[in-house]
Amino acid sequence: MTIRFDLPSVLTIYSVTEARHALLSWLARQDLNQTKSIEISAKNVEEIDGAGLQLLGSLAQTLIDTGLSWEISQLRAPIVEACARVGLDKFLRCAVQSEISP
Amino acid sequence: MSDNTSAADQKFIDEVLPVFISEAREQIEAIEHLLLELEENSGDKELLDALFRCAHTVKGSAGIFGLDKVVAFTHHVETILDRLRDGGLTLTPSLSTLLLQCNDQILHLVDSASNDVADISENIATRDHLIAQLHAAMGDVGIDASKPIIETAAVPETPAPSSQQWLISVRFGPDCFRNGTDPLAALHYLECFGNVTVISCAHELIPKLDLIDPESCYLCFEMRFNTTALRQEIETAFSFFEDNCELRLVEPTSPIEHYISLLNAMPDRPYLGEILVEIGAISQQQLDDALRIQRHAQSAPGTPPPMIGEVLQHQVGLAAEVVAAALQKQGKRDSAVPADEQRYIRVQADRLDEVINLLGELVTAGAGAALMASQTRNRNLSEVHQHMGRLIEGVRNGTLQLRMVPIGETFNRFRRVVRDTAATLGKEVALEIVGGDAEMDKSVVEKIADPLMHLVRNGLNHGLQTPAERLAAGKPAQGNLILSARHESGGILIRIQDDGRGIDRDRVLKRAWERGLVEAGEVPADAEILKLIFAPGFSTAETITNLSGRGVGMDVVSKNIAALRGTVTVHSEFGSGTTIDIRLPLTLAIIDGFLIAVGDSKFIIPLESVIEVIAGQRAQDVLDERGRHCLELRGAVLPVVSLRRLYGLDSKPPARVSVIVLGAGATQFGIEVDTLLGQHQTVIKPLGHLFKALRGISGSSILGNGEVALIFDVNSLCELAATDLISKTSRNSPLASSLSRTASV
């Protein structure tokens, strides 16, 4: 089973605390033993700053720890550019690939 | 401004934009000044370097705020300045004019930074035209000026062959986000200077979701950066992070010879560390760290302190050859420190004004406390108050000094005016500026700029002749205009002097008769005739130009100067030239005064005008029709005015009086007073409407006991003493009745 979380439209210093809380709550509700893969959808994300990118990095660290397959999908081009600018594109490689793939 | 700014960025920009605008204006002013200087010293490498730096600073700072139009346009200017700097182009008069016009546009763009609507299509067309001219000057062809240039400015430029690869390691502090700064913006801005070829984020330092404080910053980057920029320029990308980021710049490919050649090219500097930071051999952070280590070592007893060069060699791995070359540069330095090495902090003017106002109240309150202390006859209390008084005086002097700025900054603005106006009028004019370092109160400097501008334009338009006229008059083709400033009698004297045609008194008089300013047929004294040029509506110009000739300026000039407690006088010799002297007080807020009394009335004389005091004179009963008598003072006749008579004060004169000798410019005169009350720190309060018309008085002050004292305007008093207006002033004078009142504080 693949579980999915939709990121909010704004991931900036003003919203990262709320987004972290939502992510932690969502993860706590999941039965990861029954989960095959995790999809974090970024289709709604329109605005991101350094704090938002850092939260994605933190999320990636957490997801790696689950040992499950995961991806941050449907990233828009400006967000991908921002990831590349700070050198997080490889770490979040799933996101870049998902953006390029049709 | 770019549209893709977030709300947080916008808030930050709104807060800091006024600072950018203020600093950019200074740089733009410097560009103008440097261009004009280069017209006289073309090819001066230091001036060209400074010019480039100014344009580069404006462009770089504008980039931080996303002011794309400023960045794009300044980029073209910067490109041509770079060509001038490397000798690929020569600064011709026409290119200088073009660059000055470009500078005007940069100023316009900066001024409209907060309001894009202000940039009308006419200006856009002007800039396109200027860009095309700039490219034509550089020999480029086929440039489409209408193409948005921001692409070339904002996109990282292709590294020039001389670009170097830097290793940048930056660890942002935890409070970055909370302080409103964003590392992402810094990395974006860094790309203005070159290419980030490789970047890696230390993602392992970012805690997992359950441990992270998302508002704290854990970001740390290592990158390779290709650029031709200097270390300082790279550091500017991180300047908003100041203490909240650890920045290390390593230039692996930089040869020692490169630093040594930079050292040879730079002007001499006093401090070794400063030299090394300037050439980019070390960062400011590395220097600060090394200085800390040096201080720590100094505090250890029994060990000689290490030299900063040694510390840097050990800590930073700086090559010994570079340290040796920098030491040599330091050794060459003259004992005098150049003015540009003084350090400044920027303070909002209104905050300073508030301190000055409070200080004024403190001076008044201090005087009141001192008076009460003396009335208690408690010696210790009086001594404490005397000490406090001295301290207040020290604070006063220091605070007023903060407001002092050199008049030269204002004078330098006139270089462009003289250059452009003379060109418009077909005249050749050499402008000489003397004594630009004389300082005066900032508010006085600001308020005198417009009157000065008018007088300079007037001199250019009416005073100085065309080359042909000058040659016909036996003068060199090039006219001279001298702007000078110097301290005189505790005030400042600004002089505008030209060697033009001078003022034709006959024409002035004829025009005055025509305008009814002087009764037809009446011929006043020469000095009075010259004063007529300040009468409202007076102009002898046959043609009205956009420069002058409407006769609506000189009276305003005179009024504005009078409002500053200043005076303006004209000396002119027909055929030889005109000299206009403006005398102004150094400050408008507080002065050192000399308190005197006539009957129950108190007056304050600005201390700098007091030449000497002759005490114990017998009161004179015989006065001339102007209320004056004379004294013989060291073989010279000194006119002495009775204040009692002058202002119609009702009190019985004492048997013995004192005469205070005052100086007003070159003139000396005396005033007869009853009592000398000594030196007094005087906080100047403006006169109320009732007293505005009172001649010889410039303001009032509240004394410690609540009494009001009027402050003399010595120049005006001198004029008053020399004219036949005494009886008129005395009649209907509100002074006599009002002075006896005691003000409530």
Side-chain angles (χ1 to χ4, degrees):
Chain A
M1 184 179 73
T2 299
I3 56 172
R4 177 179 150 139
F5 180 87
D6 286 336
L7 289 168
S9 61
V10 177
L11 269 181
T12 65
I13 181 65
Y14 301 108
S15 63
V16 284
T17 301
E18 198 184 332
R20 170 184 174 261
H21 182 70
L23 275 162
L24 282 172
S25 303
W26 175 75
L27 277 170
R29 288 198 303 270
Q30 309 306 318
D31 181 359
L32 295 181
N33 292 326
Q34 300 297 316
T35 302
K36 191 178 168 188
S37 65
I38 302 172
E39 182 188 352
I40 304 294
S41 170
K43 71 173 180 186
N44 296 326
V45 180
E46 290 173 350
E47 190 180 350
I48 195 163
D49 67 1
L53 285 171
Q54 178 178 272
L55 190 75
L56 288 186
S58 174
L59 174 62
Q61 299 275 39
T62 309
L63 295 178
I64 289 167
D65 237 25
T66 62
L68 298 170
S69 162
W70 61 273
E71 70 168 348
I72 301 175
S73 65
Q74 296 176 287
L75 276 168
R76 295 182 183 197
I79 314 295
V80 177
E81 273 175 31
C83 289
R85 177 165 285 131
V86 299
L88 274 174
D89 50 340
K90 288 191 175 63
F91 186 54
L92 306 172
R93 61 188 184 284
C94 307
V96 178
Q97 284 163 0
S98 69
E99 176 69 15
I100 293 164
S101 306
Chain B
M1 209 173 289
S2 297
D3 296 330
N4 54 350
T5 46
S6 69
D9 288 344
Q10 193 56 51
K11 184 168 173 277
F12 171 71
I13 286 168
D14 290 345
E15 281 173 10
V16 189
L17 191 62
V19 179
F20 159 75
I21 292 175
S22 162
E23 291 183 353
R25 278 186 190 145
E26 284 174 15
Q27 296 291 339
I28 291 164
E29 209 171 286
I31 290 174
E32 181 174 300
H33 180 52
L34 287 163
L35 278 169
L36 294 172
E37 247 188 277
L38 274 163
E39 285 186 352
E40 288 160 22
N41 307 292
S42 61
D44 187 312
K45 185 81 173 66
E46 279 191 25
L47 292 178
L48 286 167
D49 284 344
L51 190 58
F52 179 83
R53 278 198 299 274
C54 289
H56 188 71
T57 304
V58 172
K59 182 183 131 179
S61 308
I64 295 174
F65 293 94
L67 301 172
D68 296 342
K69 287 182 184 175
V70 182
V71 174
F73 187 72
T74 314
H75 177 74
H76 292 287
V77 177
E78 192 191 52
T79 306
I80 203 164
L81 292 179
D82 199 25
R83 292 278 298 277
L84 286 168
R85 200 165 62 141
D86 65 20
L89 273 179
T90 309
L91 187 70
T92 59
S94 59
L95 181 55
S96 179
T97 303
L98 175 61
L99 286 168
L100 284 167
Q101 288 167 347
C102 289
N103 200 39
D104 293 341
Q105 279 299 316
I106 297 173
L107 177 63
H108 165 74
L109 285 170
V110 166
D111 281 344
S112 56
S114 54
N115 177 16
D116 218 20
V117 182
D119 190 29
I120 56 172
S121 58
E122 192 185 331
N123 284 319
I124 297 168
T126 304
R127 284 199 299 279
D128 286 345
H129 181 62
L130 290 171
I131 291 168
Q133 283 184 283
L134 286 172
H135 284 286
M138 285 190 288
D140 297 343
V141 286
I143 296 295
D144 181 4
S146 61
K147 188 182 168 192
I149 308 299
I150 188 64
E151 287 170 24
T152 48
V155 171
E157 295 161 10
T158 307
S162 59
S163 71
Q164 296 180 341
Q165 188 162 75
W166 292 74
L167 289 176
I168 302 178
S169 168
V170 55
R171 181 171 193 158
F172 294 96
D175 293 326
C176 283
F177 297 136
R178 280 187 283 264
N179 290 347
T181 49
D182 188 354
L184 196 59
L187 296 178
H188 184 62
Y189 180 58
L190 185 66
E191 289 177 359
C192 291
F193 301 115
N195 283 331
V196 175
T197 53
V198 181
I199 182 165
S200 72
C201 174
H203 52 75
E204 64 279 4
L205 297 177
I206 304 174
K208 284 182 277 188
L209 274 180
D210 54 342
L211 297 173
I212 193 170
D213 169 5
E215 292 186 2
S216 287
C217 183
Y218 305 88
L219 296 176
C220 176
F221 303 102
E222 299 273 348
M223 67 195 96
R224 288 182 185 276
F225 185 58
N226 258 1
T227 182
T228 54
L230 296 173
R231 181 183 290 271
Q232 291 93 323
E233 288 168 320
I234 299 172
E235 284 175 344
T236 57
F238 303 94
S239 56
F240 284 104
F241 295 88
E242 291 182 347
D243 298 334
N244 217 354
C245 122
E246 282 176 30
L247 178 67
R248 285 181 58 221
L249 299 178
V250 182
E251 192 185 2
T253 56
S254 63
I256 291 167
E257 291 77 18
H258 170 67
Y259 287 137
I260 292 175
S261 67
L262 285 176
L263 279 168
N264 290 336
M266 74 183 290
D268 296 342
R269 291 278 186 275
Y271 303 114
L272 185 77
E274 194 180 279
I275 294 170
L276 293 166
V277 169
E278 188 155 329
I279 62 165
I282 56 167
S283 69
Q284 186 63 45
Q285 180 66 45
Q286 286 170 325
L287 174 61
D288 293 344
D289 290 345
L291 288 170
R292 236 186 328 270
I293 291 167
Q294 189 192 33
R295 272 197 300 273
H296 182 71
Q298 273 173 341
S299 63
T303 52
M307 305 302 284
I308 190 70
E310 292 170 16
V311 178
L312 285 168
Q313 280 183 57
H314 287 122
Q315 295 296 319
V316 186
L318 193 62
E321 294 94 324
V322 176
V323 174
L327 280 169
Q328 206 176 356
K329 173 62 64 180
Q330 184 188 23
K332 279 185 196 168
R333 183 183 168 270
D334 297 332
S335 55
V337 179
D340 62 353
E341 286 179 11
Q342 291 170 10
R343 300 184 67 183
Y344 297 93
I345 55 164
R346 192 173 287 269
V347 179
Q348 281 180 16
D350 51 356
R351 286 189 189 172
L352 202 54
D353 289 344
E354 203 179 316
V355 173
I356 301 270
N357 285 339
L358 284 172
L359 185 67
E361 298 301 326
L362 181 66
V363 169
T364 305
L371 183 72
M372 289 180 79
S374 68
Q375 284 168 351
T376 62
R377 297 183 186 278
N378 182 324
R379 194 175 157 187
N380 290 340
L381 186 61
S382 292
E383 277 178 9
V384 167
H385 274 285
Q386 275 176 14
H387 182 56
M388 203 162 77
R390 281 194 295 274
L391 291 174
I392 290 174
E393 192 178 339
V395 173
R396 181 204 71 170
N397 291 340
T399 313
L400 289 179
Q401 199 61 37
L402 295 177
R403 289 174 58 99
M404 294 302 202
V405 293
I407 184 77
E409 288 173 16
T410 303
F411 280 178
N412 282 329
R413 288 189 215 160
F414 297 126
R415 288 187 188 276
R416 175 81 184 276
V417 175
V418 170
R419 176 192 187 275
D420 291 354
T421 310
T424 308
L425 297 169
K427 296 178 181 179
E428 291 177 21
V429 181
L431 173 68
E432 190 181 347
I433 290 175
V434 182
D437 53 354
E439 289 185 331
M440 58 198 297
D441 192 283
K442 187 173 185 296
S443 60
V444 182
V445 170
E446 282 167 359
K447 286 173 187 161
I448 199 64
D450 283 347
L452 277 180
M453 180 72 82
H454 191 92
L455 292 172
V456 167
R457 281 179 185 270
N458 232 41
L460 288 166
N461 200 23
H462 302 310
L464 290 158
Q465 308 107 310
T466 61
E469 287 170 334
R470 287 182 65 86
L471 289 170
K475 297 177 182 177
Q478 189 180 51
N480 290 299
L481 185 67
I482 304 171
L483 270 176
S484 65
R486 69 165 192 264
H487 288 282
E488 186 188 89
S489 306
I492 197 159
L493 169 66
I494 299 173
R495 178 167 285 172
I496 303 149
Q497 195 173 2
D498 70 60
D499 63 350
R501 57 170 65 91
I503 297 173
D504 184 347
R505 286 170 175 73
D506 293 342
R507 273 183 71 198
V508 170
L509 194 55
K510 195 178 154 204
R511 183 58 59 99
W513 288 343
E514 285 168 12
R515 299 269 164 115
L517 299 168
V518 174
E519 204 170 312
E522 188 185 332
V523 182
D526 268 8
E528 295 301 316
I529 294 173
L530 290 177
K531 278 185 192 169
L532 288 169
I533 66 169
F534 294 110
F538 184 87
S539 175
T540 60
E542 303 299 342
T543 55
I544 291 170
T545 69
N546 61 347
L547 295 168
S548 49
R550 293 181 190 277
V552 293
M554 291 299 266
D555 62 319
V556 178
V557 166
S558 172
K559 278 181 190 161
N560 288 351
I561 291 168
L564 293 169
R565 293 193 287 114
T567 59
V568 56
T569 50
V570 184
H571 310 275
S572 185
E573 196 173 324
F574 187 50
S576 299
T578 302
T579 300
I580 297 178
D581 285 347
I582 300 170
R583 286 184 172 81
L584 292 164
L586 287 180
T587 179
L588 300 176
I590 303 175
I591 56 167
D592 276 322
F594 189 64
L595 188 63
I596 55 115
V598 178
D600 293 333
S601 307
K602 304 284 192 304
F603 296 90
I604 293 169
I605 306 160
L607 195 62
E608 73 261 5
S609 304
V610 177
I611 296 170
E612 64 182 288
V613 177
I614 309 163
Q617 290 286 305
R618 195 169 56 82
Q620 293 287 326
D621 296 328
V622 185
L623 304 172
D624 72 0
E625 72 277 12
R626 297 183 181 184
R628 301 181 305 180
H629 65 89
C630 291
L631 267 183
E632 189 188 329
L633 183 65
R634 288 186 281 276
V637 174
L638 181 79
V640 177
V641 183
S642 160
L643 291 179
R644 178 173 281 100
R645 175 79 177 269
L646 180 65
Y647 288 118
L649 302 172
D650 295 328
S651 60
K652 194 182 170 196
R656 293 271 165 192
V657 293
S658 297
V659 172
I660 302 176
V661 183
L662 302 175
T667 313
Q668 287 190 6
F669 68 103
I671 56 171
E672 203 178 86
V673 305
D674 294 358
T675 319
L676 305 170
L677 297 169
Q679 195 174 334
H680 182 265
Q681 282 192 73
T682 307
V683 181
I684 302 171
K685 301 278 181 191
L687 285 172
H689 287 297
L690 186 62
F691 298 106
K692 282 275 183 195
L694 199 60
R695 296 183 65 196
I697 303 290
S698 63
S700 64
S701 184
I702 299 168
L703 303 178
N705 60 0
E707 271 187 87
V708 174
L710 294 180
I711 303 164
F712 282 129
D713 172 355
V714 174
N715 285 312
S716 164
L717 189 65
C718 175
E719 269 182 41
L720 200 56
T723 59
D724 197 17
L725 293 173
I726 291 170
S727 55
K728 291 175 192 170
T729 308
S730 302
R731 276 197 299 269
N732 307 323
S733 167
L735 187 66
S737 55
S738 62
L739 276 178
S740 55
R741 289 183 208 141
T742 300
S744 56
V745 183

